[in-house]
Amino acid sequence: MNSYVIGQQLVNGVVLGSIYGLIAVGYTMVYGIIGMINFAHGEIYMISAYLTAITLAVLTTWGVDSVFLALILTLISSIAFTALYGWTVERIAYRPLRRSTRLAPLISAIGMSLVLQNYVRLAQGSRNQGVPSLMEGNLRLVGENPEQFVQVTYVQLVIVLTALISMGILSWTIQKTALGRACRATQQDRVMAELLGVNTDRIISVVFVLGASMAAVAGVLVTVNYGSFDFHVGFVTGIKAFTAAVLGGIGSLPGAMLGGLILGLSESFFAGFVNSDYKDVFAFSILVLVLIFKPSGLLGRPAVEKV
Amino acid sequence: MQKVIKHAAMDALKVGLLGLLLFGPMTGMLLDGYGIHYAPSRAFWLVGLLLLGRFMVVVVMNSPALSGVADLFKRKDRVEVVVSPMGQQHHKILVVLTLMVAMALPFLLSKYWLNVAILALIYILLGLGLNIVVGLAGLLDLGFVAFYAVGAYSYALGAEYLGLSFWQAIPFAALLAASFGAVLGFPVLRMHGDYLAIVTLGFGEIIRLVLNNWISLTGGPNGLRTPLPTLFGMEFTKRATQGGTPYHEVLGQWMEIDYSRAARYVFIYVTLLVVVTLLVYMVQRLKRMPIGRAWEALREDEIACRSLGINHVMVKLSAFSMGAMVGGVGGVFFAASQGFVNPASFTFFESALILAIVVLGGLGSVVGVIVAAVVLTVLPELLRDFTEYRVLIFGCAMVVMMVWRPRGLLRIHRPEFVVEKRVP
């Protein structure tokens, strides 16, 4: 185990972590505001991957050459359409169940996730899809020797930068704008916010749209980085992002980012130094252990049981 | 009426526009390698159907002339308590009739349909097991397939390493799965609802991934062969394997009997039927017993339940391990009927399918679970073209069911004491 390998796993872990963080934000915001796990969130991410490939293919037929332009247009189109899916899912499966038992929205969320997964499978076929690689080349961070170096590819740089920018925009929206204030008010006390004139149903829709947009960004970045996906990718990635959200303290925005980073790093190190066959087992074990020993996470507030 | 139609048309247009945005890119543009293949007609068909459907729904729900039809589809989520002492008589006749039909089935069905019937019975068993956990105790378990896998693998591994026979494997698997259930139950006692669901989901995936990756023990993705079941030392094979005797040679001493390949399936079917019948009887009794009532009380309100002095630890653990035990037994039968196990049979989808059975049957209803399991396993076989859409329809059904009737299609019969009316 030499220091170059450690450095390389560090880079890979940060990239993986920023993606988990982006998806985890969606779980954390929805959980914070209506106290339910949006099981279909992983599927929203998967849909974004498909929309990315579709947009890129359309742009190719239109003859868009600039990589930068293609990336921006793909981000816009993917966010727009994916957010629409997020909004629709909330409208169909969760809004009618606002005043129901706790079990009901959870089951309808699982149903929704099956629906989305199979809708995409039937629409696009079950085989593996791919996109051409947009950017070649990499940056050597440390070391000149061909055997020993730490490098970061341009795509990885774009991923971390885009993740940082979108997280920044999201935090600004939540902290500084009137909309964000309404979101925070609704999260703290829905009834009170409603009494003070906040349209909470609309705010909940906004939260779903914001969460889906973040998942859309993650979908674009992963697709551009790995270049291959199928209709199944939402499940495992979704669970891992949820793990990140729980690890950081579900309901807390900085927690989701921190959790994503920790999970990405530890998974990358586990795969690199222990066993890559068991890296999913490792992630799931972290999930179970965190939920058992520290269900409120690193930055979360402990849940108060109302009597 | 004119107003209703105008309103419906506007609404349908809005929904149609949304549908166009949602379905347009996904169904109208097919990925083809790195390129794209346009298929706009698919998207237009979908959007057209959506438009028409929405229009019809709005018209039906809003026009006064059709209010009778509209009432049928109104949301219902209250529990319907049905108390009818007379009803019991009908029940008995119905139960006897069902059992008679079920006993006659193996002599009427072909080998293929017998296999489907076995699968249906296995799903009834699993549905009843999960029904104890989710339907009665209200603990959402998304990793039920883990216990199913534990059952199937304890037969396969037990036969491989310990030389267990089918009959020894059943209690072994039941005990092992129940202890897995209890072990999982302990840490999750403090959690409820969503966290519990996620932990059980994680647990199910861990079991599957371990089975998949521990190649030296479980054979990994290649799976393991399971031995054929035996009855009093008789084997259901044409020729004896190791020291056993084939059934047709033993029985042939007393009667005219020839070897038939279906005999093994008939045997599994009949054994399974006995197990399911016993389980149904047991669950019906349990629901009336203090433990069953405690499960239901816990489902309705945990805090109230605890303040009334019910030991929630025991109640949750008992529900968990009972459910797990049933799942384990189901696993043994699955392994025996397939003659082979591999991790691909124990994915999250399987858990979701069993959950769909419980949900569609109505949480807590035994008859509902049986009907749902039979419908969900036999229907896709009847409509071969429909299998592609099977999971999509399960998902839709789960959503619709929760939105429309969260308590299930069948009415819940609660055991109650009825004071007889006496003539003074």
Side-chain angles (χ1 to χ4, degrees):
Chain A
M1 192 193 300
N2 66 49
S3 53
Y4 293 103
V5 180
I6 293 180
Q8 192 59 58
Q9 296 299 349
L10 209 64
V11 170
N12 296 346
V14 168
V15 172
L16 199 60
S18 40
I19 286 162
Y20 288 154
L22 278 174
I23 310 174
V25 164
Y27 282 109
T28 245
M29 283 171 55
V30 167
Y31 194 91
I33 210 151
I34 51 176
M36 72 163 274
I37 298 168
N38 179 11
F39 250 99
H41 192 61
E43 263 52 65
I44 297 278
Y45 154 82
M46 178 269 297
I47 282 176
S48 159
Y50 273 87
L51 289 170
T52 306
I54 291 172
T55 317
L56 279 175
V58 170
L59 288 178
T60 318
T61 55
W62 286 356
V64 176
D65 285 334
S66 149
V67 169
F68 180 72
L69 190 64
L71 210 57
I72 295 286
L73 286 178
T74 309
L75 268 175
I76 291 172
S77 117
S78 181
I79 288 175
F81 285 108
T82 309
L84 215 55
Y85 274 96
W87 183 82
T88 314
V89 165
E90 195 270 332
R91 230 9 239 275
I92 293 177
Y94 308 146
R95 186 174 290 189
L97 294 171
R98 276 301 141 69
R99 281 172 189 81
S100 202
T101 54
R102 281 181 75 80
L103 220 55
L106 209 57
I107 291 172
S108 81
I110 295 164
M112 209 63 219
S113 127
L114 290 180
V115 168
L116 289 178
Q117 212 178 82
N118 284 277
Y119 154 68
V120 172
R121 181 175 65 90
L122 291 168
Q124 296 283 350
S126 49
R127 73 209 145 90
N128 215 320
Q129 307 282 3
V131 295
S133 60
L134 286 180
M135 279 173 277
E136 302 292 341
N138 51 51
L139 210 65
R140 290 253 164 110
L141 292 179
V142 191
E144 293 301 318
N145 188 316
E147 300 290 311
Q148 299 185 318
F149 56 82
V150 178
Q151 68 172 19
V152 50
T153 62
Y154 289 140
V155 181
Q156 286 179 325
L157 270 183
V158 169
I159 288 179
V160 175
L161 276 179
T162 316
L164 276 178
I165 293 170
S166 30
M167 290 287 195
I169 295 176
L170 184 72
S171 305
W172 179 81
T173 316
I174 297 291
Q175 294 301 328
K176 301 285 182 211
T177 63
L179 190 71
R181 204 156 54 230
C183 285
R184 280 181 290 138
T186 311
Q187 172 162 3
Q188 272 181 8
D189 192 335
R190 196 155 89 215
V191 180
M192 199 64 207
E194 200 148 348
L195 286 175
L196 293 174
V198 175
N199 183 350
T200 49
D201 269 345
R202 199 174 69 95
I203 293 299
I204 292 170
S205 287
V206 166
V207 162
F208 269 85
V209 165
L210 285 177
S213 312
M214 289 292 137
V217 175
V220 173
L221 297 179
V222 170
T223 311
V224 170
N225 189 23
Y226 296 103
S228 134
F229 57 90
D230 59 19
F231 70 98
H232 235 268
V233 292
F235 178 65
V236 171
T237 318
I239 295 290
K240 285 184 185 167
F242 177 77
T243 308
V246 172
L247 190 62
I250 198 153
S252 144
L253 223 51
M257 301 171 199
L258 181 72
L261 215 56
I262 295 177
L263 187 73
L265 281 172
S266 50
E267 194 185 313
S268 158
F269 276 100
F270 187 87
F273 295 117
V274 186
N275 190 332
S276 69
D277 286 344
Y278 283 96
K279 77 176 188 335
D280 286 357
V281 178
F282 172 72
F284 285 117
S285 313
I286 288 189
L287 172 69
V288 173
L289 290 177
V290 171
L291 281 177
I292 290 170
F293 293 111
K294 202 155 177 13
S296 55
L298 296 172
L299 301 182
R301 287 168 300 177
V304 182
E305 203 167 292
K306 283 177 192 149
V307 181
Chain B
M1 198 64 204
Q2 200 125 41
K3 227 173 98 184
V4 171
I5 288 184
K6 198 180 158 200
H7 168 64
M10 286 308 290
D11 205 65
L13 269 181
K14 270 187 227 161
V15 171
L17 188 68
L18 180 70
L20 194 65
L21 289 171
L22 288 180
F23 299 143
M26 198 56 99
T27 59
M29 302 177 179
L30 294 180
L31 286 169
D32 186 15
Y34 290 161
I36 206 155
H37 171 74
Y38 291 95
S41 61
R42 296 206 316 170
F44 285 129
W45 268 109
L46 258 173
V47 173
L49 275 177
L50 190 70
L51 243 157
L52 197 71
R54 181 72 193 189
F55 182 77
M56 300 295 281
V57 166
V58 177
V59 167
V60 168
M61 294 307 273
N62 286 314
S63 52
L66 297 168
S67 64
V69 185
D71 278 346
L72 280 179
F73 295 101
K74 286 268 162 65
R75 211 182 146 196
K76 295 189 181 82
D77 60 354
R78 66 200 159 83
V79 190
E80 291 169 59
V81 181
V82 179
V83 189
S84 68
M86 293 296 290
Q88 299 297 323
Q89 301 301 319
H90 293 292
H91 269 254
K92 266 181 196 147
I93 296 169
L94 213 65
V95 166
V96 171
L97 268 177
T98 319
L99 271 179
M100 275 166 65
V101 171
M103 282 309 289
L105 274 183
F107 305 103
L108 303 173
L109 296 175
S110 66
K111 202 184 129 213
Y112 172 77
W113 281 103
L114 194 58
N115 248 326
V116 175
I118 289 174
L119 208 63
L121 276 179
I122 289 176
Y123 279 112
I124 290 178
L125 199 63
L126 295 172
L128 288 172
L130 189 63
N131 193 32
I132 295 175
V133 186
V134 181
L136 294 180
L139 305 163
L140 187 53
D141 183 353
L142 293 183
F144 194 67
V145 78
F147 308 123
Y148 186 36
V150 166
Y153 267 89
S154 58
Y155 179 33
L157 292 172
E160 176 103 9
Y161 296 104
L162 306 171
L164 288 186
S165 75
F166 174 70
W167 294 103
Q168 290 163 329
I170 291 180
F172 176 65
L175 276 178
L176 202 68
S179 44
F180 262 82
V183 167
L184 176 66
F186 259 115
V188 300
L189 278 176
R190 287 183 303 155
M191 295 172 195
H192 14 152
D194 318 17
Y195 278 179
L196 179 80
I198 286 285
V199 170
T200 49
L201 170 69
F203 183 71
E205 282 297 294
I206 290 175
I207 294 257
R208 186 181 65 82
L209 288 166
V210 168
L211 289 175
N212 207 19
N213 285 313
W214 196 347
I215 293 172
S216 59
L217 181 77
T218 65
N222 295 329
L224 279 173
R225 287 173 61 86
T226 53
L228 298 174
T230 54
L231 175 66
F232 301 121
M234 295 184 290
E235 289 181 0
F236 293 95
T237 45
K238 181 123 195 193
R239 291 195 184 76
T241 44
Q242 294 160 352
T245 32
Y247 78 100
H248 57 104
E249 285 178 14
V250 179
L251 296 182
Q253 294 170 351
W254 297 296
M255 52 187 139
E256 288 286 309
I257 193 162
D258 277 331
Y259 173 72
S260 142
R261 285 175 61 112
R264 173 157 73 101
Y265 298 104
V266 174
F267 163 70
I268 292 177
Y269 177 86
V270 173
T271 323
L272 201 49
L273 190 65
V274 172
V275 171
V276 168
T277 315
L278 282 177
L279 183 68
V280 170
Y281 180 72
M282 208 175 80
V283 172
Q284 291 290 25
R285 301 297 297 183
L286 275 173
K287 273 169 88 171
R288 283 150 211 256
M289 279 162 61
I291 183 79
R293 286 165 172 251
W295 286 340
E296 292 200 75
L298 196 78
R299 175 189 68 196
E300 297 303 330
D301 193 336
E302 181 171 346
I303 295 167
C305 204
R306 280 164 70 174
S307 10
L308 286 172
I310 290 171
N311 182 353
H312 71 290
V313 174
M314 281 318 292
V315 174
K316 278 188 183 177
L317 273 187
S318 61
F320 239 98
S321 38
M322 288 273 301
M325 196 175 84
V326 176
V329 174
V332 175
F333 278 100
F334 176 74
S337 70
Q338 301 283 311
F340 167 79
V341 284
N342 79 340
S345 318
F346 308 107
T347 55
F348 170 67
F349 167 67
E350 210 69 16
S351 290
L353 171 59
I354 305 166
L355 184 67
I357 288 173
V358 175
V359 170
L360 299 186
L363 295 171
S365 152
V366 171
V367 182
V369 166
I370 294 172
V371 173
V374 172
V375 168
L376 290 190
T377 41
V378 175
L379 213 58
E381 300 293 333
L382 282 177
L383 311 161
R384 269 327 208 148
D385 302 331
F386 166 87
T387 36
E388 269 284 282
Y389 298 90
R390 189 168 71 138
V391 191
L392 188 78
I393 291 168
F394 285 170
C396 287
M398 279 164 95
V399 175
V400 169
M401 203 64 191
M402 281 299 113
V403 173
W404 177 45
R405 281 187 172 186
R407 302 280 181 168
L409 265 187
L410 290 182
R411 292 178 291 188
I412 296 175
H413 292 252
R414 279 175 194 282
E416 265 184 54
F417 294 106
V418 184
V419 182
E420 269 181 58
K421 273 187 194 153
R422 285 197 210 138
V423 185

